[in-house]
Amino acid sequence: MILTPDPQNEIDRQILDIEKEIAEKKAKLRELRAKLPAQEVQDYTFEGWKGKVKLSDLFGDKNELILVSNMGKSCRYCTLWAD
């Protein structure tokens, strides 16, 4: 059952106000992050199944890397898509 906030209820009004504030802050954070310059990543060396491998070797001619932090099996959001 999903409850719809009642704007006449003081607690619901406070919740809606805080949710609006959070949404505005998240939008501002996205805007600021978009203004950050790209950062060069070190060419790390990893231990692979076949021995050592460099990060640059894993991605071939690609010059962009998207990093996703995964908190592991204890986080249902991380494991939702990580399978």
Side-chain angles (χ1 to χ4, degrees):
M1 180 168 101
I2 298 174
L3 299 176
T4 305
D6 177 4
Q8 302 303 315
N9 180 316
E10 178 60 26
I11 293 175
D12 283 345
R13 262 198 314 276
Q14 289 179 22
I15 290 171
L16 289 171
D17 288 345
I18 291 171
E19 287 176 340
K20 181 180 176 186
E21 182 181 341
I22 289 170
E24 290 169 351
K25 297 280 186 189
K26 284 183 175 183
K28 181 65 176 174
L29 183 59
R30 278 191 304 274
E31 179 185 316
L32 291 171
R33 283 185 174 151
K35 292 179 180 181
L36 285 173
Q39 296 179 1
E40 190 168 326
V41 176
Q42 233 178 8
D43 195 8
Y44 291 99
T45 300
F46 299 98
E47 280 290 329
W49 289 302
K50 298 179 182 179
K52 293 184 179 185
V53 61
K54 286 186 175 184
L55 180 63
S56 59
D57 294 334
L58 294 174
F59 296 97
D61 63 348
K62 308 293 187 285
N63 63 1
E64 292 183 2
L65 169 68
I66 297 174
L67 178 66
V68 177
S69 296
N70 186 324
M71 294 181 291
K73 65 182 179 181
S74 63
C75 176
R76 67 183 180 138
Y77 297 106
C78 289
T79 57
L80 178 68
W81 59 270
D83 293 340

PDB file of all heavy atoms in Angstrom, residues 31-64:
ATOM      1  N   GLU A  31      24.937  19.717 -11.235  1.00  0.00           N
ATOM      2  CA  GLU A  31      25.400  20.866 -12.017  1.00  0.00           C
ATOM      3  C   GLU A  31      26.879  21.162 -11.728  1.00  0.00           C
ATOM      4  O   GLU A  31      27.674  21.370 -12.643  1.00  0.00           O
ATOM      5  CB  GLU A  31      24.537  22.074 -11.658  1.00  0.00           C
ATOM      6  CG  GLU A  31      24.904  23.351 -12.368  1.00  0.00           C
ATOM      7  CD  GLU A  31      24.061  24.520 -11.853  1.00  0.00           C
ATOM      8  OE1 GLU A  31      22.843  24.355 -11.691  1.00  0.00           O
ATOM      9  OE2 GLU A  31      24.650  25.594 -11.618  1.00  0.00           O
ATOM     10  N   LEU A  32      27.248  21.160 -10.456  1.00  0.00           N
ATOM     11  CA  LEU A  32      28.635  21.436 -10.081  1.00  0.00           C
ATOM     12  C   LEU A  32      29.575  20.331 -10.555  1.00  0.00           C
ATOM     13  O   LEU A  32      30.671  20.600 -11.052  1.00  0.00           O
ATOM     14  CB  LEU A  32      28.755  21.617  -8.566  1.00  0.00           C
ATOM     15  CG  LEU A  32      28.112  22.886  -8.007  1.00  0.00           C
ATOM     16  CD1 LEU A  32      28.098  22.845  -6.485  1.00  0.00           C
ATOM     17  CD2 LEU A  32      28.834  24.125  -8.510  1.00  0.00           C
ATOM     18  N   ARG A  33      29.155  19.077 -10.410  1.00  0.00           N
ATOM     19  CA  ARG A  33      29.999  17.960 -10.868  1.00  0.00           C
ATOM     20  C   ARG A  33      30.230  18.023 -12.372  1.00  0.00           C
ATOM     21  O   ARG A  33      31.297  17.676 -12.854  1.00  0.00           O
ATOM     22  CB  ARG A  33      29.363  16.627 -10.489  1.00  0.00           C
ATOM     23  CG  ARG A  33      29.543  16.295  -9.036  1.00  0.00           C
ATOM     24  CD  ARG A  33      29.013  14.918  -8.717  1.00  0.00           C
ATOM     25  NE  ARG A  33      29.328  14.564  -7.345  1.00  0.00           N
ATOM     26  CZ  ARG A  33      28.617  13.754  -6.594  1.00  0.00           C
ATOM     27  NH1 ARG A  33      27.525  13.195  -7.086  1.00  0.00           N
ATOM     28  NH2 ARG A  33      28.976  13.485  -5.368  1.00  0.00           N
ATOM     29  N   ALA A  34      29.219  18.456 -13.105  1.00  0.00           N
ATOM     30  CA  ALA A  34      29.350  18.550 -14.561  1.00  0.00           C
ATOM     31  C   ALA A  34      30.392  19.594 -14.966  1.00  0.00           C
ATOM     32  O   ALA A  34      30.960  19.520 -16.050  1.00  0.00           O
ATOM     33  CB  ALA A  34      28.004  18.872 -15.192  1.00  0.00           C
ATOM     34  N   LYS A  35      30.640  20.560 -14.094  1.00  0.00           N
ATOM     35  CA  LYS A  35      31.610  21.617 -14.390  1.00  0.00           C
ATOM     36  C   LYS A  35      33.045  21.196 -14.086  1.00  0.00           C
ATOM     37  O   LYS A  35      33.984  21.878 -14.488  1.00  0.00           O
ATOM     38  CB  LYS A  35      31.287  22.875 -13.583  1.00  0.00           C
ATOM     39  CG  LYS A  35      30.006  23.552 -14.014  1.00  0.00           C
ATOM     40  CD  LYS A  35      29.736  24.775 -13.160  1.00  0.00           C
ATOM     41  CE  LYS A  35      28.448  25.459 -13.582  1.00  0.00           C
ATOM     42  NZ  LYS A  35      28.171  26.648 -12.783  1.00  0.00           N
ATOM     43  N   LEU A  36      33.216  20.087 -13.357  1.00  0.00           N
ATOM     44  CA  LEU A  36      34.564  19.638 -13.017  1.00  0.00           C
ATOM     45  C   LEU A  36      35.302  19.180 -14.273  1.00  0.00           C
ATOM     46  O   LEU A  36      34.718  18.522 -15.135  1.00  0.00           O
ATOM     47  CB  LEU A  36      34.510  18.465 -12.033  1.00  0.00           C
ATOM     48  CG  LEU A  36      34.173  18.781 -10.595  1.00  0.00           C
ATOM     49  CD1 LEU A  36      33.993  17.483  -9.806  1.00  0.00           C
ATOM     50  CD2 LEU A  36      35.251  19.637  -9.961  1.00  0.00           C
ATOM     51  N   PRO A  37      36.582  19.500 -14.370  1.00  0.00           N
ATOM     52  CA  PRO A  37      37.339  19.018 -15.518  1.00  0.00           C
ATOM     53  C   PRO A  37      37.614  17.521 -15.396  1.00  0.00           C
ATOM     54  O   PRO A  37      37.614  16.962 -14.283  1.00  0.00           O
ATOM     55  CB  PRO A  37      38.647  19.815 -15.439  1.00  0.00           C
ATOM     56  CG  PRO A  37      38.783  20.166 -13.990  1.00  0.00           C
ATOM     57  CD  PRO A  37      37.385  20.327 -13.468  1.00  0.00           C
ATOM     58  N   ALA A  38      37.826  16.867 -16.513  1.00  0.00           N
ATOM     59  CA  ALA A  38      38.172  15.446 -16.499  1.00  0.00           C
ATOM     60  C   ALA A  38      39.494  15.258 -15.755  1.00  0.00           C
ATOM     61  O   ALA A  38      40.350  16.148 -15.764  1.00  0.00           O
ATOM     62  CB  ALA A  38      38.293  14.930 -17.927  1.00  0.00           C
ATOM     63  N   GLN A  39      39.621  14.132 -15.103  1.00  0.00           N
ATOM     64  CA  GLN A  39      40.841  13.837 -14.362  1.00  0.00           C
ATOM     65  C   GLN A  39      41.562  12.664 -15.011  1.00  0.00           C
ATOM     66  O   GLN A  39      40.952  11.654 -15.335  1.00  0.00           O
ATOM     67  CB  GLN A  39      40.527  13.484 -12.910  1.00  0.00           C
ATOM     68  CG  GLN A  39      39.916  14.618 -12.139  1.00  0.00           C
ATOM     69  CD  GLN A  39      39.600  14.214 -10.702  1.00  0.00           C
ATOM     70  OE1 GLN A  39      39.857  13.106 -10.287  1.00  0.00           O
ATOM     71  NE2 GLN A  39      39.034  15.141  -9.965  1.00  0.00           N
ATOM     72  N   GLU A  40      42.844  12.814 -15.167  1.00  0.00           N
ATOM     73  CA  GLU A  40      43.640  11.733 -15.729  1.00  0.00           C
ATOM     74  C   GLU A  40      43.789  10.635 -14.680  1.00  0.00           C
ATOM     75  O   GLU A  40      44.006  10.895 -13.501  1.00  0.00           O
ATOM     76  CB  GLU A  40      45.017  12.239 -16.145  1.00  0.00           C
ATOM     77  CG  GLU A  40      45.789  11.222 -16.948  1.00  0.00           C
ATOM     78  CD  GLU A  40      47.018  11.811 -17.598  1.00  0.00           C
ATOM     79  OE1 GLU A  40      46.974  12.985 -17.995  1.00  0.00           O
ATOM     80  OE2 GLU A  40      48.014  11.084 -17.702  1.00  0.00           O
ATOM     81  N   VAL A  41      43.651   9.408 -15.126  1.00  0.00           N
ATOM     82  CA  VAL A  41      43.750   8.252 -14.233  1.00  0.00           C
ATOM     83  C   VAL A  41      45.092   7.577 -14.447  1.00  0.00           C
ATOM     84  O   VAL A  41      45.542   7.402 -15.577  1.00  0.00           O
ATOM     85  CB  VAL A  41      42.604   7.245 -14.523  1.00  0.00           C
ATOM     86  CG1 VAL A  41      42.735   5.996 -13.672  1.00  0.00           C
ATOM     87  CG2 VAL A  41      41.259   7.906 -14.310  1.00  0.00           C
ATOM     88  N   GLN A  42      45.714   7.194 -13.332  1.00  0.00           N
ATOM     89  CA  GLN A  42      46.983   6.479 -13.393  1.00  0.00           C
ATOM     90  C   GLN A  42      46.798   5.156 -14.134  1.00  0.00           C
ATOM     91  O   GLN A  42      45.742   4.541 -14.053  1.00  0.00           O
ATOM     92  CB  GLN A  42      47.444   6.175 -11.969  1.00  0.00           C
ATOM     93  CG  GLN A  42      48.815   6.606 -11.642  1.00  0.00           C
ATOM     94  CD  GLN A  42      49.133   6.280 -10.176  1.00  0.00           C
ATOM     95  OE1 GLN A  42      48.391   5.623  -9.465  1.00  0.00           O
ATOM     96  NE2 GLN A  42      50.254   6.776  -9.738  1.00  0.00           N
ATOM     97  N   ASP A  43      47.812   4.722 -14.831  1.00  0.00           N
ATOM     98  CA  ASP A  43      47.743   3.446 -15.541  1.00  0.00           C
ATOM     99  C   ASP A  43      48.115   2.326 -14.571  1.00  0.00           C
ATOM    100  O   ASP A  43      49.236   1.841 -14.536  1.00  0.00           O
ATOM    101  CB  ASP A  43      48.683   3.451 -16.747  1.00  0.00           C
ATOM    102  CG  ASP A  43      48.372   2.320 -17.708  1.00  0.00           C
ATOM    103  OD1 ASP A  43      47.345   1.642 -17.518  1.00  0.00           O
ATOM    104  OD2 ASP A  43      49.158   2.111 -18.638  1.00  0.00           O
ATOM    105  N   TYR A  44      47.150   1.927 -13.762  1.00  0.00           N
ATOM    106  CA  TYR A  44      47.372   0.908 -12.735  1.00  0.00           C
ATOM    107  C   TYR A  44      47.693  -0.442 -13.357  1.00  0.00           C
ATOM    108  O   TYR A  44      47.286  -0.744 -14.476  1.00  0.00           O
ATOM    109  CB  TYR A  44      46.129   0.751 -11.859  1.00  0.00           C
ATOM    110  CG  TYR A  44      45.851   1.933 -10.980  1.00  0.00           C
ATOM    111  CD1 TYR A  44      44.917   2.893 -11.335  1.00  0.00           C
ATOM    112  CD2 TYR A  44      46.533   2.097  -9.777  1.00  0.00           C
ATOM    113  CE1 TYR A  44      44.655   3.982 -10.524  1.00  0.00           C
ATOM    114  CE2 TYR A  44      46.286   3.187  -8.956  1.00  0.00           C
ATOM    115  CZ  TYR A  44      45.342   4.121  -9.345  1.00  0.00           C
ATOM    116  OH  TYR A  44      45.099   5.201  -8.534  1.00  0.00           O
ATOM    117  N   THR A  45      48.385  -1.273 -12.597  1.00  0.00           N
ATOM    118  CA  THR A  45      48.650  -2.648 -12.993  1.00  0.00           C
ATOM    119  C   THR A  45      47.872  -3.559 -12.055  1.00  0.00           C
ATOM    120  O   THR A  45      47.945  -3.424 -10.837  1.00  0.00           O
ATOM    121  CB  THR A  45      50.154  -2.967 -12.909  1.00  0.00           C
ATOM    122  OG1 THR A  45      50.859  -2.078 -13.781  1.00  0.00           O
ATOM    123  CG2 THR A  45      50.428  -4.393 -13.333  1.00  0.00           C
ATOM    124  N   PHE A  46      47.105  -4.466 -12.636  1.00  0.00           N
ATOM    125  CA  PHE A  46      46.289  -5.413 -11.872  1.00  0.00           C
ATOM    126  C   PHE A  46      46.840  -6.818 -12.047  1.00  0.00           C
ATOM    127  O   PHE A  46      47.525  -7.114 -13.015  1.00  0.00           O
ATOM    128  CB  PHE A  46      44.834  -5.397 -12.378  1.00  0.00           C
ATOM    129  CG  PHE A  46      44.156  -4.080 -12.248  1.00  0.00           C
ATOM    130  CD1 PHE A  46      44.074  -3.212 -13.334  1.00  0.00           C
ATOM    131  CD2 PHE A  46      43.583  -3.704 -11.053  1.00  0.00           C
ATOM    132  CE1 PHE A  46      43.434  -1.990 -13.222  1.00  0.00           C
ATOM    133  CE2 PHE A  46      42.934  -2.476 -10.929  1.00  0.00           C
ATOM    134  CZ  PHE A  46      42.866  -1.629 -12.013  1.00  0.00           C
ATOM    135  N   GLU A  47      46.494  -7.685 -11.109  1.00  0.00           N
ATOM    136  CA  GLU A  47      46.791  -9.106 -11.237  1.00  0.00           C
ATOM    137  C   GLU A  47      45.567  -9.761 -11.855  1.00  0.00           C
ATOM    138  O   GLU A  47      44.503  -9.801 -11.238  1.00  0.00           O
ATOM    139  CB  GLU A  47      47.070  -9.742  -9.871  1.00  0.00           C
ATOM    140  CG  GLU A  47      48.449  -9.499  -9.340  1.00  0.00           C
ATOM    141  CD  GLU A  47      49.540 -10.228 -10.116  1.00  0.00           C
ATOM    142  OE1 GLU A  47      49.283 -11.324 -10.658  1.00  0.00           O
ATOM    143  OE2 GLU A  47      50.649  -9.674 -10.185  1.00  0.00           O
ATOM    144  N   GLY A  48      45.702 -10.260 -13.081  1.00  0.00           N
ATOM    145  CA  GLY A  48      44.597 -10.927 -13.751  1.00  0.00           C
ATOM    146  C   GLY A  48      44.774 -12.434 -13.700  1.00  0.00           C
ATOM    147  O   GLY A  48      45.711 -12.949 -13.096  1.00  0.00           O
ATOM    148  N   TRP A  49      43.853 -13.152 -14.328  1.00  0.00           N
ATOM    149  CA  TRP A  49      43.935 -14.609 -14.346  1.00  0.00           C
ATOM    150  C   TRP A  49      45.190 -15.079 -15.083  1.00  0.00           C
ATOM    151  O   TRP A  49      45.718 -16.136 -14.797  1.00  0.00           O
ATOM    152  CB  TRP A  49      42.706 -15.214 -15.032  1.00  0.00           C
ATOM    153  CG  TRP A  49      41.454 -15.081 -14.231  1.00  0.00           C
ATOM    154  CD1 TRP A  49      41.251 -15.552 -12.976  1.00  0.00           C
ATOM    155  CD2 TRP A  49      40.253 -14.439 -14.616  1.00  0.00           C
ATOM    156  NE1 TRP A  49      39.993 -15.244 -12.553  1.00  0.00           N
ATOM    157  CE2 TRP A  49      39.352 -14.559 -13.548  1.00  0.00           C
ATOM    158  CE3 TRP A  49      39.841 -13.765 -15.755  1.00  0.00           C
ATOM    159  CZ2 TRP A  49      38.065 -14.052 -13.587  1.00  0.00           C
ATOM    160  CZ3 TRP A  49      38.575 -13.260 -15.802  1.00  0.00           C
ATOM    161  CH2 TRP A  49      37.697 -13.395 -14.725  1.00  0.00           C
ATOM    162  N   LYS A  50      45.618 -14.277 -16.026  1.00  0.00           N
ATOM    163  CA  LYS A  50      46.791 -14.653 -16.825  1.00  0.00           C
ATOM    164  C   LYS A  50      48.013 -13.845 -16.440  1.00  0.00           C
ATOM    165  O   LYS A  50      48.922 -13.675 -17.236  1.00  0.00           O
ATOM    166  CB  LYS A  50      46.473 -14.474 -18.309  1.00  0.00           C
ATOM    167  CG  LYS A  50      45.344 -15.344 -18.791  1.00  0.00           C
ATOM    168  CD  LYS A  50      45.054 -15.097 -20.259  1.00  0.00           C
ATOM    169  CE  LYS A  50      43.886 -15.950 -20.713  1.00  0.00           C
ATOM    170  NZ  LYS A  50      43.568 -15.703 -22.111  1.00  0.00           N
ATOM    171  N   GLY A  51      48.031 -13.298 -15.240  1.00  0.00           N
ATOM    172  CA  GLY A  51      49.168 -12.502 -14.787  1.00  0.00           C
ATOM    173  C   GLY A  51      48.833 -11.023 -14.723  1.00  0.00           C
ATOM    174  O   GLY A  51      47.671 -10.630 -14.643  1.00  0.00           O
ATOM    175  N   LYS A  52      49.872 -10.209 -14.773  1.00  0.00           N
ATOM    176  CA  LYS A  52      49.683  -8.762 -14.650  1.00  0.00           C
ATOM    177  C   LYS A  52      49.117  -8.171 -15.934  1.00  0.00           C
ATOM    178  O   LYS A  52      49.473  -8.587 -17.031  1.00  0.00           O
ATOM    179  CB  LYS A  52      51.015  -8.097 -14.307  1.00  0.00           C
ATOM    180  CG  LYS A  52      51.502  -8.470 -12.934  1.00  0.00           C
ATOM    181  CD  LYS A  52      52.769  -7.730 -12.582  1.00  0.00           C
ATOM    182  CE  LYS A  52      53.205  -8.146 -11.163  1.00  0.00           C
ATOM    183  NZ  LYS A  52      54.343  -7.398 -10.688  1.00  0.00           N
ATOM    184  N   VAL A  53      48.226  -7.174 -15.751  1.00  0.00           N
ATOM    185  CA  VAL A  53      47.637  -6.477 -16.889  1.00  0.00           C
ATOM    186  C   VAL A  53      47.461  -5.008 -16.498  1.00  0.00           C
ATOM    187  O   VAL A  53      47.080  -4.687 -15.384  1.00  0.00           O
ATOM    188  CB  VAL A  53      46.286  -7.124 -17.310  1.00  0.00           C
ATOM    189  CG1 VAL A  53      45.273  -7.074 -16.195  1.00  0.00           C
ATOM    190  CG2 VAL A  53      45.745  -6.480 -18.560  1.00  0.00           C
ATOM    191  N   LYS A  54      47.756  -4.129 -17.443  1.00  0.00           N
ATOM    192  CA  LYS A  54      47.598  -2.694 -17.199  1.00  0.00           C
ATOM    193  C   LYS A  54      46.169  -2.264 -17.498  1.00  0.00           C
ATOM    194  O   LYS A  54      45.500  -2.832 -18.368  1.00  0.00           O
ATOM    195  CB  LYS A  54      48.555  -1.893 -18.089  1.00  0.00           C
ATOM    196  CG  LYS A  54      49.982  -1.954 -17.664  1.00  0.00           C
ATOM    197  CD  LYS A  54      50.793  -1.005 -18.531  1.00  0.00           C
ATOM    198  CE  LYS A  54      52.224  -0.942 -18.041  1.00  0.00           C
ATOM    199  NZ  LYS A  54      52.990   0.042 -18.807  1.00  0.00           N
ATOM    200  N   LEU A  55      45.728  -1.240 -16.785  1.00  0.00           N
ATOM    201  CA  LEU A  55      44.402  -0.681 -17.008  1.00  0.00           C
ATOM    202  C   LEU A  55      44.226  -0.281 -18.468  1.00  0.00           C
ATOM    203  O   LEU A  55      43.202  -0.562 -19.078  1.00  0.00           O
ATOM    204  CB  LEU A  55      44.190   0.535 -16.088  1.00  0.00           C
ATOM    205  CG  LEU A  55      42.856   1.252 -16.181  1.00  0.00           C
ATOM    206  CD1 LEU A  55      41.713   0.334 -15.768  1.00  0.00           C
ATOM    207  CD2 LEU A  55      42.854   2.501 -15.321  1.00  0.00           C
ATOM    208  N   SER A  56      45.237   0.349 -19.031  1.00  0.00           N
ATOM    209  CA  SER A  56      45.152   0.792 -20.433  1.00  0.00           C
ATOM    210  C   SER A  56      44.977  -0.380 -21.397  1.00  0.00           C
ATOM    211  O   SER A  56      44.351  -0.235 -22.446  1.00  0.00           O
ATOM    212  CB  SER A  56      46.399   1.597 -20.806  1.00  0.00           C
ATOM    213  OG  SER A  56      47.566   0.809 -20.630  1.00  0.00           O
ATOM    214  N   ASP A  57      45.486  -1.551 -21.035  1.00  0.00           N
ATOM    215  CA  ASP A  57      45.324  -2.724 -21.892  1.00  0.00           C
ATOM    216  C   ASP A  57      43.902  -3.274 -21.848  1.00  0.00           C
ATOM    217  O   ASP A  57      43.449  -3.922 -22.789  1.00  0.00           O
ATOM    218  CB  ASP A  57      46.304  -3.828 -21.478  1.00  0.00           C
ATOM    219  CG  ASP A  57      47.756  -3.436 -21.705  1.00  0.00           C
ATOM    220  OD1 ASP A  57      48.016  -2.593 -22.595  1.00  0.00           O
ATOM    221  OD2 ASP A  57      48.622  -3.956 -20.981  1.00  0.00           O
ATOM    222  N   LEU A  58      43.214  -3.018 -20.753  1.00  0.00           N
ATOM    223  CA  LEU A  58      41.847  -3.530 -20.615  1.00  0.00           C
ATOM    224  C   LEU A  58      40.849  -2.784 -21.487  1.00  0.00           C
ATOM    225  O   LEU A  58      39.809  -3.324 -21.842  1.00  0.00           O
ATOM    226  CB  LEU A  58      41.390  -3.430 -19.152  1.00  0.00           C
ATOM    227  CG  LEU A  58      42.124  -4.304 -18.151  1.00  0.00           C
ATOM    228  CD1 LEU A  58      41.644  -3.981 -16.731  1.00  0.00           C
ATOM    229  CD2 LEU A  58      41.903  -5.772 -18.451  1.00  0.00           C
ATOM    230  N   PHE A  59      41.151  -1.538 -21.824  1.00  0.00           N
ATOM    231  CA  PHE A  59      40.181  -0.708 -22.532  1.00  0.00           C
ATOM    232  C   PHE A  59      40.598  -0.343 -23.948  1.00  0.00           C
ATOM    233  O   PHE A  59      39.932   0.438 -24.609  1.00  0.00           O
ATOM    234  CB  PHE A  59      39.888   0.559 -21.708  1.00  0.00           C
ATOM    235  CG  PHE A  59      39.246   0.230 -20.400  1.00  0.00           C
ATOM    236  CD1 PHE A  59      40.007   0.132 -19.256  1.00  0.00           C
ATOM    237  CD2 PHE A  59      37.890  -0.023 -20.322  1.00  0.00           C
ATOM    238  CE1 PHE A  59      39.426  -0.198 -18.043  1.00  0.00           C
ATOM    239  CE2 PHE A  59      37.299  -0.357 -19.120  1.00  0.00           C
ATOM    240  CZ  PHE A  59      38.069  -0.447 -17.977  1.00  0.00           C
ATOM    241  N   GLY A  60      41.694  -0.879 -24.411  1.00  0.00           N
ATOM    242  CA  GLY A  60      42.109  -0.658 -25.785  1.00  0.00           C
ATOM    243  C   GLY A  60      42.272   0.804 -26.131  1.00  0.00           C
ATOM    244  O   GLY A  60      42.946   1.545 -25.426  1.00  0.00           O
ATOM    245  N   ASP A  61      41.616   1.248 -27.190  1.00  0.00           N
ATOM    246  CA  ASP A  61      41.777   2.622 -27.677  1.00  0.00           C
ATOM    247  C   ASP A  61      40.793   3.604 -27.037  1.00  0.00           C
ATOM    248  O   ASP A  61      40.717   4.760 -27.446  1.00  0.00           O
ATOM    249  CB  ASP A  61      41.634   2.660 -29.193  1.00  0.00           C
ATOM    250  CG  ASP A  61      40.247   2.236 -29.671  1.00  0.00           C
ATOM    251  OD1 ASP A  61      39.476   1.700 -28.859  1.00  0.00           O
ATOM    252  OD2 ASP A  61      39.952   2.428 -30.859  1.00  0.00           O
ATOM    253  N   LYS A  62      40.040   3.186 -26.043  1.00  0.00           N
ATOM    254  CA  LYS A  62      39.079   4.072 -25.374  1.00  0.00           C
ATOM    255  C   LYS A  62      39.831   5.079 -24.512  1.00  0.00           C
ATOM    256  O   LYS A  62      40.840   4.762 -23.915  1.00  0.00           O
ATOM    257  CB  LYS A  62      38.121   3.277 -24.482  1.00  0.00           C
ATOM    258  CG  LYS A  62      37.428   2.112 -25.166  1.00  0.00           C
ATOM    259  CD  LYS A  62      36.473   2.577 -26.221  1.00  0.00           C
ATOM    260  CE  LYS A  62      35.640   1.484 -26.816  1.00  0.00           C
ATOM    261  NZ  LYS A  62      36.262   0.601 -27.740  1.00  0.00           N
ATOM    262  N   ASN A  63      39.351   6.308 -24.450  1.00  0.00           N
ATOM    263  CA  ASN A  63      40.027   7.329 -23.644  1.00  0.00           C
ATOM    264  C   ASN A  63      39.155   7.826 -22.487  1.00  0.00           C
ATOM    265  O   ASN A  63      39.492   8.787 -21.833  1.00  0.00           O
ATOM    266  CB  ASN A  63      40.487   8.503 -24.505  1.00  0.00           C
ATOM    267  CG  ASN A  63      39.332   9.229 -25.164  1.00  0.00           C
ATOM    268  OD1 ASN A  63      38.180   8.873 -24.978  1.00  0.00           O
ATOM    269  ND2 ASN A  63      39.649  10.233 -25.945  1.00  0.00           N
ATOM    270  N   GLU A  64      38.023   7.154 -22.241  1.00  0.00           N
ATOM    271  CA  GLU A  64      37.164   7.520 -21.132  1.00  0.00           C
ATOM    272  C   GLU A  64      36.868   6.286 -20.294  1.00  0.00           C
ATOM    273  O   GLU A  64      36.761   5.177 -20.811  1.00  0.00           O
ATOM    274  CB  GLU A  64      35.850   8.123 -21.630  1.00  0.00           C
ATOM    275  CG  GLU A  64      36.042   9.464 -22.300  1.00  0.00           C
ATOM    276  CD  GLU A  64      34.736  10.088 -22.736  1.00  0.00           C
ATOM    277  OE1 GLU A  64      33.671   9.493 -22.477  1.00  0.00           O
ATOM    278  OE2 GLU A  64      34.768  11.160 -23.327  1.00  0.00           O
TER     279      GLU A  64
END
